Structure formats: C-alpha cells, structure tokens
Amino acid sequence: MPRQIDFRSVSPHPADEVYATMVDPDYLRARLDRIGGPGASLLEHTADLEGARYRLRLGLDAKDLPSAVRSVLPGDITVERDERWTREDSGRYHGDVDVAIPGAPASANGGMRLRDLSDGGSELEVRLEVRVTVPLFGSKIEAVVGDQVQRLLAAETAFTQDWLSGNGRP
C-alpha cells in the first residue's frame, strides 16, 4: 500500500519570485551541486512564465542509507525526478512530479502547489505517494523512503530560501 507524504513550507517571498527561482537552470544546478548527491545533474529543462518542465538526476550514497533500504537496494542509488509546473494565474502555480529509481522496485508521484499568501509571502505544498513493491518489507522501506523524501524537501526549501535571500548564490 503506498505511503502518502505531505510537505508544506512558507516563504517570505511572493510565489512568482519563488517560481522563477525554482525553475531557473542556474539555481537547479547549484542546488544539485550542493545537495543532489553523487552523479547529480540537470538532464532536461524548459521554462517560461507560463510553465516549466525539467528532469533531475540525484544520487544517494549507499553508506548514507538505512540498513532496511540497503538490504533491498544494494549500492548507490540513482533517482530521476521529472517535474512539471503550470502557471494558473499571477501568484498561483500547480505542478506534478514523478520519481523513478531505475532498477529498483520503488517510485513516487504526486502534485505540488505554490501560491501567494495574504501577508505577501507564499506557500509551497507537496503531496506524494511512495510505492515500494517488495513483499513483506515494502511498507517498512516506504516509511524510510518517506522520511528521506521529507529531509530532501526540507533541504531543498532551505537552499531555496538562502538563494532567494542572496546567500546561496555561487
């Protein structure tokens, strides 16, 4: 049974500014360099004011993974993430994300929403379903993967806030 992950973050920056940053290829490359892991790269990218699509490759070093995951997925792990964003209106965006782990019985997909808040800031919400198709241990691994996804989203959010404040730029 898939495990649902809900993530929410608030930024003091308006959604249009956050969106422009999140889909900027220089920002994406810098984020991948900082927190993307071994072999991280921006595989594809298209973006404009109305929408964006990009594919990312992230790497997870086997030594950093919990033993429950290493027992099923030995060695380093490559994660491919495909994100698509659409502008609904000024200050409102929605997106879809698909995550694949080539050669592994695990995947995730879900939706994202970025919108302005009344105080001038913005809110990002992400809802994902993680699936691991391993008999007996699948739900345990889904819990571990879910925790790792939450940590990654938090690290990406912190990087984005630093970038927007001018501290994270190379």
Side-chain angles (χ1 to χ4, degrees):
M1 179 171 172
R3 177 169 300 269
Q4 183 174 301
I5 299 168
D6 290 306
F7 179 83
R8 178 183 178 269
S9 68
V10 175
S11 171
H13 303 277
D16 290 339
E17 186 178 346
V18 173
Y19 168 79
T21 297
M22 288 178 22
V23 303
D24 177 274
D26 292 333
Y27 157 84
L28 288 167
R29 286 186 193 98
R31 189 181 83 191
L32 288 166
D33 285 347
R34 176 88 49 89
I35 58 176
S41 65
L42 179 60
L43 302 173
E44 293 178 35
H45 181 274
T46 58
D48 58 30
L49 294 176
E50 300 305 314
R53 179 180 183 273
Y54 47 89
R55 277 190 335 114
L56 310 169
R57 177 180 299 132
L58 297 98
L60 301 172
D61 193 323
K63 71 179 178 3
D64 297 330
L65 298 171
S67 61
V69 174
R70 284 194 314 264
S71 69
V72 177
L73 306 172
D76 294 346
I77 295 174
T78 299
V79 177
E80 292 189 4
R81 190 160 106 191
D82 187 355
E83 292 189 21
R84 296 157 310 280
W85 284 97
T86 302
R87 181 179 185 265
E88 294 176 356
D89 199 355
S90 180
R92 293 177 52 88
Y93 301 84
H94 73 270
D96 297 299
V97 60
D98 293 306
V99 180
I101 303 173
S107 64
N109 67 337
M112 305 171 289
R113 184 175 75 167
L114 174 64
R115 64 184 180 97
D116 281 336
L117 297 174
S118 60
D119 66 2
S122 61
E123 173 185 63
L124 173 68
E125 294 178 311
V126 179
R127 175 170 278 178
L128 295 171
E129 284 195 356
V130 176
R131 280 174 294 296
V132 177
T133 56
V134 175
L136 301 175
F137 298 109
S139 62
K140 185 175 186 178
I141 296 170
E142 284 171 355
V144 170
V145 170
D147 182 57
Q148 296 293 323
V149 169
Q150 291 274 6
R151 289 177 193 217
L152 177 62
L153 290 171
E156 289 177 353
T157 297
F159 184 85
T160 303
Q161 296 305 326
D162 283 349
W163 185 275
L164 284 164
S165 68
N167 297 328
R169 297 183 187 192

